Amino acid sequence: MKFKLNIPEPCHEDWQQMSPTQKGKFCASCQKEVIDFTKLSATEIARKTKNATQLCGRFTSTQLEQEYVSTSQNSLSRLGIALGLGSIIAVAQPSFAQEEKTAKVKVDAENDSQYNESTQAETQKDSITIKGTVIDEEGLPLPGVSVIQQNSSHGTQTDFDGNFSIKISDEDFNSEAHLIFSFIGTQEAVIRIEEKSINIVLKKEVCEVQNEIIRGKVELTKTNN
């Protein structure tokens, strides 16, 4: 299915005054999260908006003029095939599999207490603390900057001196994990975590003139297939 996105009644609330969230900002006027789509690809936008009903978003005028393609039918077909194969495999399992599972559960139960006792220690051991300072272009510390680990709800804020401290897993540290820094009146910064100490300079947000930013409730309009 091909479709376009439309915002019949653009929102005129001040984007800079909204509170940062993981996906965008929260509008106190309409009590809704406004998802920021301005930096997403066409594929990501199509996936996130294809079933939109009460979605509020922030788009560039170019994004609203673009035509998107939904891949839901192909995805459903692949899901149906996967479920079908799963059902065949499940039916074909020998009857003694249940007996083996029961025996395994008994063995696991005996080791539960030992496992649970070590879990907390391992979690603490595998955590890494990332520290840093956030300043503006004039070198002044920025208190209250939102610091969120990308693709998670894990976050914190900078203190009065612009300092922050956040724990992430050892696995995330060794992969392509990112921190999102956002503050009213500044450009959002997405930084890959490569060191345990990160110092950030947030630049003033520049209004886009050539590509207008439009916000509001999103409507989906089907186009010719």
Side-chain angles (χ1 to χ4, degrees):
M1 179 186 77
K2 295 182 180 180
F3 63 92
K4 284 189 174 183
L5 301 173
N6 183 36
I7 299 179
E9 299 180 7
C11 171
H12 299 291
E13 296 295 323
D14 189 349
W15 175 258
Q16 304 302 330
Q17 298 302 318
M18 296 183 188
S19 303
T21 64
Q22 182 183 350
K23 298 180 181 179
K25 293 192 177 183
F26 182 79
C27 178
S29 177
C30 61
Q31 291 295 300
K32 289 184 179 180
E33 182 181 33
V34 183
I35 300 176
D36 191 353
F37 291 93
T38 57
K39 298 176 183 179
L40 298 185
S41 66
T43 302
E44 291 175 312
I45 293 174
R47 179 172 56 84
K48 292 177 181 292
T49 60
K50 62 183 179 182
N51 296 319
T53 54
Q54 299 294 323
L55 176 67
C56 283
R58 180 177 187 254
F59 299 86
T60 66
S61 55
T62 301
Q63 289 173 326
L64 293 179
E65 294 168 359
Q66 185 172 345
E67 186 176 61
Y68 298 93
V69 179
S70 171
T71 57
S72 58
Q73 290 181 343
N74 292 335
S75 299
L76 288 174
S77 298
R78 290 195 297 270
L79 178 60
I81 293 172
L83 289 175
L85 290 174
S87 299
I88 293 172
I89 293 172
V91 172
Q93 291 296 321
S95 59
F96 61 80
Q98 182 61 36
E99 296 177 4
E100 292 181 353
K101 181 179 178 181
T102 302
K104 184 178 184 300
V105 169
K106 289 181 179 179
V107 174
D108 289 344
E110 295 175 358
N111 298 321
D112 274 349
S113 58
Q114 181 179 357
Y115 174 79
N116 290 333
E117 289 174 1
S118 63
T119 299
Q120 279 190 325
E122 289 177 358
T123 301
Q124 291 292 334
K125 179 181 177 181
D126 294 339
S127 295
I128 293 178
T129 301
I130 307 298
K131 295 183 178 180
T133 304
V134 183
I135 61 176
D136 62 16
E137 293 178 283
E138 297 178 354
L140 299 175
L142 289 175
V145 175
S146 173
V147 184
I148 298 177
Q149 184 179 349
Q150 192 175 49
N151 299 322
S152 78
S153 58
H154 186 204
T156 185
Q157 286 189 334
T158 56
D159 61 18
F160 183 78
D161 296 315
N163 299 317
F164 72 91
S165 176
I166 185 172
K167 286 188 176 182
I168 67 170
S169 68
D170 183 65
E171 181 181 357
D172 286 343
F173 182 76
N174 292 318
S175 63
E176 294 187 3
H178 295 74
L179 291 180
I180 303 174
F181 297 82
S182 56
F183 187 70
I184 295 174
T186 66
Q187 298 179 34
E188 182 180 87
V190 181
I191 306 298
R192 180 178 175 180
I193 305 172
E194 296 180 304
E195 303 290 340
K196 295 181 181 179
S197 178
I198 301 176
N199 295 318
I200 302 297
V201 178
L202 291 184
K203 299 180 180 180
K204 291 182 179 179
E205 189 166 52
V206 180
C207 295
E208 298 188 43
V209 178
Q210 296 182 345
N211 199 359
E212 183 184 2
I213 301 295
I214 303 171
R215 302 189 312 274
K217 185 177 178 181
V218 181
E219 289 187 358
L220 184 150
T221 304
K222 293 182 180 180
T223 59
N224 295 329
N225 293 326

Short mmCIF file of all heavy atoms in Angstrom, two decimals, residues 15 25 46 62 69 79 145 153 181 193:
data_model
loop_
_atom_site.label_atom_id
_atom_site.label_comp_id
_atom_site.label_asym_id
_atom_site.label_seq_id
_atom_site.Cartn_x
_atom_site.Cartn_y
_atom_site.Cartn_z
N TRP A 15 7.72 24.59 20.29
CA TRP A 15 8.47 23.34 20.40
C TRP A 15 9.58 23.45 21.44
O TRP A 15 9.88 22.49 22.16
CB TRP A 15 9.06 22.99 19.03
CG TRP A 15 9.96 21.79 19.00
CD1 TRP A 15 11.33 21.79 18.95
CD2 TRP A 15 9.56 20.42 19.00
NE1 TRP A 15 11.80 20.50 18.91
CE2 TRP A 15 10.74 19.64 18.94
CE3 TRP A 15 8.33 19.76 19.02
CZ2 TRP A 15 10.72 18.25 18.92
CZ3 TRP A 15 8.32 18.37 19.00
CH2 TRP A 15 9.49 17.63 18.96
N LYS A 25 9.01 15.16 22.07
CA LYS A 25 8.74 16.05 23.20
C LYS A 25 7.28 15.90 23.63
O LYS A 25 6.44 15.40 22.87
CB LYS A 25 9.05 17.51 22.84
CG LYS A 25 10.54 17.78 22.62
CD LYS A 25 10.84 19.26 22.56
CE LYS A 25 12.34 19.51 22.41
NZ LYS A 25 12.66 20.96 22.41
N ALA A 46 7.52 5.13 7.35
CA ALA A 46 6.43 4.27 6.86
C ALA A 46 6.06 3.22 7.89
O ALA A 46 4.89 2.93 8.13
CB ALA A 46 6.85 3.61 5.56
N THR A 62 9.02 18.57 3.34
CA THR A 62 9.42 17.59 2.32
C THR A 62 8.91 16.20 2.66
O THR A 62 8.44 15.46 1.78
CB THR A 62 10.95 17.55 2.17
OG1 THR A 62 11.43 18.85 1.83
CG2 THR A 62 11.37 16.56 1.10
N VAL A 69 5.62 3.69 1.23
CA VAL A 69 5.17 2.36 0.87
C VAL A 69 5.14 1.49 2.12
O VAL A 69 6.14 1.36 2.82
CB VAL A 69 6.09 1.71 -0.18
CG1 VAL A 69 5.60 0.30 -0.53
CG2 VAL A 69 6.16 2.57 -1.43
N LEU A 79 5.40 -13.75 8.37
CA LEU A 79 5.01 -14.18 9.70
C LEU A 79 4.14 -15.42 9.63
O LEU A 79 4.30 -16.35 10.43
CB LEU A 79 4.25 -13.04 10.41
CG LEU A 79 3.72 -13.36 11.81
CD1 LEU A 79 4.89 -13.71 12.73
CD2 LEU A 79 2.93 -12.19 12.37
N VAL A 145 19.87 19.14 31.46
CA VAL A 145 19.91 18.54 30.12
C VAL A 145 19.45 17.08 30.22
O VAL A 145 19.90 16.34 31.08
CB VAL A 145 21.32 18.60 29.52
CG1 VAL A 145 21.38 17.87 28.17
CG2 VAL A 145 21.77 20.04 29.36
N SER A 153 14.53 3.32 27.85
CA SER A 153 13.92 4.32 28.72
C SER A 153 14.89 4.72 29.82
O SER A 153 14.53 5.37 30.79
CB SER A 153 12.63 3.75 29.34
OG SER A 153 12.91 2.56 30.06
N PHE A 181 21.33 13.73 23.88
CA PHE A 181 21.36 14.92 24.73
C PHE A 181 20.39 15.95 24.16
O PHE A 181 20.52 16.35 23.00
CB PHE A 181 22.77 15.52 24.78
CG PHE A 181 23.80 14.62 25.38
CD1 PHE A 181 24.42 13.62 24.63
CD2 PHE A 181 24.16 14.75 26.71
CE1 PHE A 181 25.38 12.78 25.19
CE2 PHE A 181 25.13 13.91 27.28
CZ PHE A 181 25.73 12.93 26.52
N ILE A 193 28.70 6.05 22.29
CA ILE A 193 29.48 5.84 23.51
C ILE A 193 30.74 5.05 23.18
O ILE A 193 30.69 3.86 22.90
CB ILE A 193 28.66 5.08 24.57
CG1 ILE A 193 27.33 5.80 24.84
CG2 ILE A 193 29.46 4.95 25.86
CD1 ILE A 193 26.39 5.03 25.73
#
